[in-house]
Each structure stands twice: as C-alpha cells, then as structure tokens.
Amino acid sequence: MGWTAALALLAFAFAISGYDLESNLDTPLVFSNPSYGTSADGKAACVRGKLNITASASNIKLLLKSPASQAELTQTTVDMARAGSDYMTRVTSGGPNPVSGTFQIYSQLCFPNNASLASRVKTLQLLSHGGTLDHTYWDFAPGYSYVDAAAAAGYATFSYDRLGTGLSDHPDPNQVAQAALQIEIAHLLILGLRKVRVQQKKIEKVVGVGHSAGSALTIGVVGKYPRDFDGLVFTGISTSTVGVGIAQIAFNLLPAPLDPSGRFKSLDSGYLTQGSVPQDFQFPFFQRPEYDEKIFQRQFETRQTTIFGELLTFGTVVAPQPNFTGPVDVVLGQYDYVFCLGNCSYPANQAQTFVNALFPASPSKGAYLQPKSGHLVALHYTATQGFAHSINFLKGSGL
C-alpha cells in the first residue's frame, strides 16, 4: 500500500473513530442490522438501520384504485386540476378506515462526532423529508447537510424514510400510507427518542423539523400530540397552495414501476414518481443557476416516490395550532414555486405570514427567506445560510 493510500485510510479511520457512538448509546429503539458511520462531512457519528414500529390509525377510505396505465394517471391529474373539480371531495368521502400493522422504518440517528459535544447534547431534532425525497435530503453532501450543521452546533438528529418511501416498507399506497398513520409512526418514534441516552445523559428536548410534506406531517403531529415537540422548524411550506397544483402537473407523474431506471419495478402502480426528464424535477424544485449541477443531477437520479395516500390526506392535517407555545421558525426559498409561485416576498413575506397564521400563541417566531433558492432549500448554494438561520434561532430560543 502506498503512503497516499495509507494516509487516506488512516484519515478515514480517525473520522469514524472520532466518537464511539456504539459504546456510548443507550436507546430503546432497536435497529436491525445496524451500521455505524459518519455524516456527509464527518461532523456527526451515526447509527443507521431499520426499526420495527407497530402502529394503528383511523385512515380515510379513499375511493380510488392504483392507475392501470400512464394514460389513466395523466387523466387523474387532469381531473384534479380541472376548474371547479370535486375530485378531492369525491375520493375522500369513503369514511373512516382503521389500519394497523408492524412496519420497518429506515432511520438514521446522529450525534456530534466529538465526545465533548456529544456529552452536552440536550436537544434532538426529528427531521421529516418532503415528497419524492427521502432521509438523504437532510445529509446529502458536504456543504449540503443539515445533519452536519446541527451536529457542529451540538444537536442530535434523527431522520428517517417515511412509510412508503426509500428503504422503509411500501404497503398499500392508497389505503395504508396516509397522513393519520404517518402521524402515529412519528409519535411513536418521538416517544422512543425521548428515552435515548448518550453517556448516560437523557435527551431533554425534541424539535420537529420538516420540509414540504414533512412540514405538513409535523403540523399534524402537533395537532394530535401537542406535547411531542418543544420547538418547530418548517421549510418549504406556506399558507398559499395555488402553486401546489401547478407543481403537481409539472411533476409529470408516472407510475413508479414504469420509471426507466427500473428502481421501482417491484412496487404497486399506486406508487408514483416524477417524470424521467430533468425539467420535471427542475421546475418545481430548483432555481437556476443557483445550484450545483452535480447536486441537481444526483438528486434527480435518486428521486423517490409519492402516493395519493399522502397527496390526498396531508392537506387535512394542516391547520392553525393556537395552543402551541413553543418557538416556531419558518424558512422558505426566495423563489419557491410550489408554495409561493416563485416569489415568496409577494404580496408579503410568506414565511412570516405562515408562522403568524398557524402559530399565533408562539412567543418566539422566526421567518427567513433564503436568498437565491427554490423549493429544495437544502440543495442550493445558499443552503448553509438557511441552516445557520434555523440553528441560531433555536439557540436563541433556548433549545
């Protein structure tokens, strides 16, 4: 082995051994076949694996079937977007539908990769990704990792693939993987995370951090379990939903098994993904030229799925939470098309409008329009500015 290779191996070994998480972690969450490693830039020591979560919920009986073809899915998109359409009302009128089961949820739990910082961790942030994304959104690459930014500031993080996404189980995409069940799974994860100990020290606070659909899920958790979170950070969401329908058309959705990559060929056709050309991804998510083309291409090639079970039920849980009194921060990309039609300053700061409307009792509110960014704030050149804002907000709020 040459000196260059030997030094590289030594550096890697040092990074991995920066903090011995395996020996210092005490958690009721049992990871199957756990693996240990570091975050994208090495600032966090992480354990990864699948958790068995047994949950039940009262879902909605959706009056629809998985699309039999691309043409059928396209017509559904047209039906949903038609002026005066009653599609949403019709398909969600089936009444309650109790569901239950034990589901494997792929998860990543991280602490600062530094013994001194790890021993002082008081707050854990639960990170919920958006639609057609997965847990990697939060730890994508060096310079594009909220997990790294949080670890450097002394926080633990927990990110996971929602049911029906990424490496987690993929049950019935219409009747099972809906908002109500996702809320119950998140709640059970939070209960477990509050019992996690590192170096015999227990987690004291949990902050809910969401992006887009993950923000909607986080609001849903607050609505049913208001004591689950001590503080909140929302990204990629506002009170304006006009752009959501337009973005859904721009997605050029196709049944995931038909995706040319072949990655989803074993899934039910109710699992959907964005079209196979880059503009289907760029239009709703990115503001050119304010991003690295390599980051864009990687996210496009690893895009995940979405489902009508979520698309038709997540909106039902987004509502004002007048009784929540913890700190609340909102970050929007300056040019977010999905939730601002490309201008989050018009007719007023949409981040400020959102936090005021949904969390009127919060004594500590933050609102930030991340410069030169589209919807995926964590994947633009200004990502670290958004990370710094939210972390400084939490620090200033005592979390």
Side-chain angles (χ1 to χ4, degrees):
M1 179 184 294
W3 278 108
T4 301
L7 289 172
L9 182 60
L10 180 63
F12 176 75
F14 179 80
I16 294 294
S17 63
Y19 180 63
D20 185 1
L21 182 62
E22 184 174 5
S23 299
N24 289 287
L25 179 64
D26 179 12
T27 171
L29 300 173
V30 180
F31 290 82
S32 61
N33 299 315
S35 64
Y36 291 83
T38 60
S39 53
D41 203 26
K43 293 183 174 61
C46 307
V47 55
R48 305 176 179 96
K50 293 183 178 181
L51 303 172
N52 286 323
I53 304 296
T54 300
S56 60
S58 180
N59 278 1
I60 298 170
K61 180 66 176 177
L62 296 181
L63 304 180
L64 58 77
K65 296 180 180 180
S66 298
S69 65
Q70 175 65 68
E72 186 174 310
L73 175 58
T74 299
Q75 186 58 51
T76 297
T77 301
V78 173
D79 292 344
M80 293 176 69
R82 181 177 291 113
S85 172
D86 66 348
Y87 181 87
M88 293 276 288
T89 303
R90 284 190 290 107
V91 300
T92 58
S93 63
N97 180 30
V99 297
S100 62
T102 297
F103 308 100
Q104 287 197 318
I105 303 298
Y106 186 83
S107 308
Q108 173 178 286
L109 175 62
C110 299
F111 281 79
N113 195 19
N114 173 285
S116 177
L117 276 178
S119 68
R120 300 197 301 271
V121 168
K122 295 181 179 180
T123 301
L124 178 144
Q125 300 186 38
L126 180 108
L127 314 178
S128 299
H129 63 80
T132 71
L133 306 173
D134 60 14
H135 76 282
T136 62
Y137 173 75
W138 301 105
D139 187 29
F140 201 73
Y144 299 90
S145 172
Y146 186 79
V147 170
D148 274 317
Y155 291 99
T157 58
F158 179 87
S159 54
Y160 68 106
D161 291 344
R162 273 199 311 277
L163 184 65
T165 301
L167 298 174
S168 292
D169 280 352
H170 287 70
D172 185 307
N174 303 313
Q175 309 302 340
V176 176
Q178 294 184 12
L181 185 59
Q182 302 283 20
I183 288 170
E184 297 304 324
I185 290 172
H187 171 63
L188 292 169
L189 290 170
I190 294 163
L191 293 181
L193 290 167
R194 285 192 175 274
K195 297 177 182 178
V196 168
R197 294 177 180 271
V198 166
Q199 294 177 219
Q200 304 302 313
K201 186 175 181 181
K202 188 177 178 181
I203 293 294
E204 297 177 11
K205 305 286 185 180
V206 177
V207 173
V209 182
H211 177 73
S212 198
S215 287
L217 170 61
T218 302
I219 295 171
V221 173
V222 174
K224 187 165 185 182
Y225 300 105
R227 295 186 178 181
D228 271 9
F229 294 126
D230 300 285
L232 302 168
V233 174
F234 298 107
T235 70
I237 194 169
S238 79
T239 57
S240 174
T241 59
V242 177
V244 175
I246 299 173
Q248 185 171 322
I249 296 170
F251 283 167
N252 191 23
L253 291 173
L254 72 154
L258 299 182
D259 185 83
S261 71
R263 292 185 297 136
F264 310 118
K265 61 183 179 181
S266 65
L267 296 182
D268 182 283
S269 62
Y271 282 92
L272 317 173
T273 192
Q274 286 154 313
S276 57
V277 292
Q279 58 262 38
D280 298 333
F281 206 71
Q282 178 189 338
F283 180 94
F285 286 166
F286 284 86
Q287 174 67 27
R288 185 177 173 84
E290 309 300 340
Y291 55 86
D292 186 320
E293 290 288 351
K294 292 180 180 178
I295 294 294
F296 171 85
Q297 191 63 31
R298 178 180 164 192
Q299 180 62 90
F300 172 65
E301 291 174 354
T302 59
R303 66 197 182 283
Q304 284 293 325
T305 55
T306 188
I307 46 180
F308 278 123
E310 287 193 351
L311 293 172
L312 296 173
T313 62
F314 265 28
T316 65
V317 301
V318 178
Q321 305 297 328
N323 297 320
F324 187 81
T325 57
V328 183
D329 186 39
V330 182
V331 175
L332 281 166
Q334 178 184 1
Y335 300 119
D336 187 319
Y337 195 91
V338 181
F339 282 99
C340 302
L341 288 175
N343 184 358
C344 286
S345 297
Y346 179 84
N349 184 318
Q350 292 299 302
Q352 192 69 61
T353 299
F354 179 85
V355 71
N356 289 340
L358 270 73
F359 297 92
S362 171
S364 178
K365 300 185 180 76
Y368 181 67
L369 298 185
Q370 184 174 307
K372 301 180 179 180
S373 177
H375 183 63
L376 299 190
V377 291
L379 301 182
H380 284 73
Y381 287 134
T382 56
T384 55
Q385 296 179 35
F387 299 162
H389 163 81
S390 293
I391 289 169
N392 288 337
F393 171 83
L394 292 175
K395 290 286 187 183
S397 300
L399 292 172

